[in-house]
Amino acid sequence: MDGDPAVEPELDSFSLILPLPYRIALIIVFGAWAWAVNLHILYLLNIDVFGLIKYSNRSYPAESSHHRTYRLATLITGPLILSLLLFWIVTHGKASLVIAWELLPQSYLFLLAVFFLLPLQRLSKIGRYRFLTTLRRVSIGGIAEAQDGKFGDILLADVLTSYAKVLGDLFVSACMLVSSKYTSTSKPDRACGGQFLVPFIISIPSMIRLRQCLIEYRRARTNEKRAGSFGLPWVGGQHLANALKYSSAFPVIILSALQRGYDPKKFAMTETGLFRLWLFFVFFNSFYSFYWDVAKDWDLTLFASSEERNNPEHPWGLRRHAHFHSDRIYYGAIIIDLLLRCTWSLKLSPHLDHFNDLEGGIFVMELLEVMRRWMWIFFRVETEWVRHNRALAPDDILLADYRIKVDDD
């Protein structure tokens, strides 16, 4: 188990099996498989994902899109398995050898980057080019117009928020690789580069989404003026409410960093007071984000008025139009989303309060967040498909300022 005194403080037992670079690689590869499953299941539900994100590849039929994603996932999985097996064979679980053989996991991360960058036709060249183009635009908080693939930009930026801690670990791995004090397979030093550099990197995906929300708000106000409606305070208000959700992540990140480097001589607040302040912000961020997932991203009526929630035209708390055939799928997704939004509550348990500080615990939390996002994508894309096909809003079908009403006919 993590914290084994026989291997501490040099390396915990989990890191002897899965050093930090391999953990990063595993979560990235898992994400590729998860996206392939997303595409496959949504295709079986007759939902055109690529139509929603305005991606058209006439070279291949629509049904081959998930097959090509599966192929890419397989191609990056094979070398990872071989690299891991070779690493375990040469290190024998010995700390000194694990530290010495950083070349193997770092070589795989380099190979992974090559897979995405090389213009090889068999590796879905067009799809990877579109991904990199979108990533370049999104990385500075940009967002396309609706007709140019805005929904795809939003999906990718939201996925990046779930990979925020993985991006932080990627920086830590690179920092330790170039450091003369460590190797990237030694015990992770999450203060590498300074106390606040890693927290800053973790906050970048939330900054991206925040800027996108503000751009959307500005566009909504501009369109309002062009339409001749002046001074309506609610126009674009939902974009500001969404911006608040992403802004609420910053106090959590900052206070977490302050708790790790707590020095009573530098803070007027006690450690207990700092923890309580962190608890307030993490509670607000988690439950506000959960509300937004259910009510705004999935268009479910769980938090709507009693009349709408109990509408006999749809199951209690759900919505009228659904592509998944069982109500239990939606209820299960709501429960899972709530539980995974609140993994921080482990810190309130006297028996599990250190779980998030252990290397194995950190890896499990990062993986669970990526799994939560994988589940979220199904319902977010389904919701967009329902909005797009049932009733096109005249202004903004992605974040409409009202709930779409559909006539019986």
Side-chain angles (χ1 to χ4, degrees):
M1 293 181 62
D2 289 304
D4 186 346
V7 294
E8 294 282 355
E10 191 64 48
L11 273 179
D12 60 273
S13 54
F14 183 78
S15 296
L16 291 176
I17 300 172
L18 280 180
L20 185 61
Y22 276 130
R23 287 177 242 159
I24 298 166
L26 278 171
I27 295 179
I28 293 174
V29 171
F30 174 80
W33 282 102
W35 176 238
V37 174
N38 282 139
L39 293 176
H40 192 176
I41 293 179
L42 290 169
Y43 168 76
L44 294 176
L45 293 173
N46 295 315
I47 295 176
D48 182 9
V49 179
F50 292 104
L52 290 175
I53 64 176
K54 310 301 180 186
Y55 168 64
S56 177
N57 185 358
R58 298 180 180 179
S59 302
Y60 304 98
E63 63 267 19
S64 71
S65 298
H66 56 272
H67 293 304
R68 295 181 66 79
T69 309
Y70 278 130
R71 181 187 303 170
L72 177 62
T74 301
L75 287 172
I76 63 178
T77 300
L80 175 59
I81 294 174
L82 291 176
S83 180
L84 262 174
L85 290 175
L86 181 58
F87 182 82
W88 291 336
I89 290 172
V90 299
T91 60
H92 303 292
K94 295 181 180 179
S96 58
L97 293 176
V98 168
I99 293 172
W101 278 92
E102 68 172 342
L103 177 64
L104 280 175
Q106 291 295 342
S107 296
Y108 176 76
L109 287 178
F110 175 77
L111 180 63
L112 193 60
V114 169
F115 268 121
F116 282 97
L117 295 175
L118 279 185
L120 299 177
Q121 189 66 35
R122 290 183 59 83
L123 293 180
S124 188
K125 174 185 174 181
I126 299 175
R128 287 183 296 115
Y129 176 78
R130 171 64 185 269
F131 169 76
L132 293 173
T133 302
T134 304
L135 182 62
R136 184 169 59 248
R137 179 172 59 249
V138 165
S139 63
I140 57 174
I143 183 170
E145 296 285 352
Q147 68 273 14
D148 298 323
K150 178 172 73 172
F151 182 58
D153 288 7
I154 292 174
L155 276 184
L156 179 57
D158 272 325
V159 168
L160 288 177
T161 62
S162 291
Y163 271 86
K165 291 185 177 179
V166 180
L167 293 174
D169 281 351
L170 183 61
F171 170 79
V172 170
S173 176
C175 181
M176 294 175 66
L177 177 65
V178 300
S179 172
S180 59
K181 298 179 181 179
Y182 319 95
T183 67
S184 59
T185 50
S186 58
K187 186 176 181 179
D189 177 17
R190 290 185 170 80
C192 190
Q195 181 183 0
F196 293 102
L197 187 53
V198 173
F200 172 76
I201 292 172
I202 291 174
S203 69
I204 288 176
S206 294
M207 293 180 188
I208 289 171
R209 282 299 285 128
L210 172 61
R211 185 170 186 265
Q212 287 181 332
C213 292
L214 295 178
I215 290 174
E216 284 296 278
Y217 172 74
R218 188 179 70 245
R219 287 177 181 174
R221 300 296 293 183
T222 301
N223 291 337
E224 174 209 7
K225 292 180 180 179
R226 289 175 180 173
S229 301
F230 299 99
L232 298 179
W234 61 84
V235 173
Q238 185 155 310
H239 299 300
L240 292 182
N242 201 18
L244 175 62
K245 181 186 73 171
Y246 294 104
S247 299
S248 67
F250 302 139
V252 177
I253 295 170
I254 294 170
L255 291 170
S256 295
L258 292 176
Q259 286 183 88
R260 282 194 296 270
Y262 179 77
D263 184 352
K265 297 179 181 179
K266 296 181 179 180
F267 295 97
M269 185 178 295
T270 64
E271 191 169 9
T272 301
L274 197 62
F275 174 76
R276 288 174 179 172
L277 189 60
W278 170 85
L279 192 61
F280 168 79
F281 281 108
V282 76
F283 184 91
F284 176 81
N285 173 259
S286 297
F287 284 95
Y288 189 22
S289 298
F290 169 67
Y291 160 78
W292 199 275
D293 288 342
V294 174
K296 304 299 181 181
D297 289 339
W298 298 348
D299 277 359
L300 303 182
T301 59
L302 183 65
F303 299 113
S305 65
S306 177
E307 180 181 359
E308 193 168 4
R309 186 168 55 249
N310 294 288
N311 191 327
E313 294 184 352
H314 59 71
W316 183 87
L318 302 185
R319 49 177 152 79
R320 182 178 176 185
H321 298 288
H323 285 260
F324 292 97
H325 304 300
S326 173
D327 302 341
R328 294 180 181 180
I329 294 177
Y330 294 90
Y331 293 128
I334 292 171
I335 294 171
I336 292 172
D337 190 69
L338 175 61
L339 292 176
L340 295 184
R341 282 288 188 186
C342 297
T343 52
W344 53 266
S345 60
L346 292 176
K347 289 193 173 185
L348 304 180
S349 168
H351 303 292
L352 299 173
D353 58 332
H354 291 297
F355 182 76
N356 287 340
D357 299 322
L358 305 175
E359 290 302 320
I362 293 171
F363 174 73
V364 169
M365 291 297 103
E366 291 176 350
L367 188 60
L368 286 175
E369 171 56 23
V370 173
M371 292 176 67
R372 187 197 66 79
R373 184 61 64 182
W374 167 75
M375 178 193 73
W376 175 91
I377 287 175
F378 285 116
F379 302 98
R380 180 65 184 91
V381 173
E382 182 216 22
T383 301
E384 195 60 35
W385 185 250
V386 170
R387 293 175 184 175
H388 186 77
N389 287 278
R390 297 294 180 179
L392 292 176
D395 178 22
D396 182 7
I397 66 171
L398 297 182
L399 285 171
D401 291 329
Y402 54 88
R403 181 168 295 281
I404 295 172
K405 300 295 184 181
V406 183
D407 294 334
D408 290 339
D409 58 350

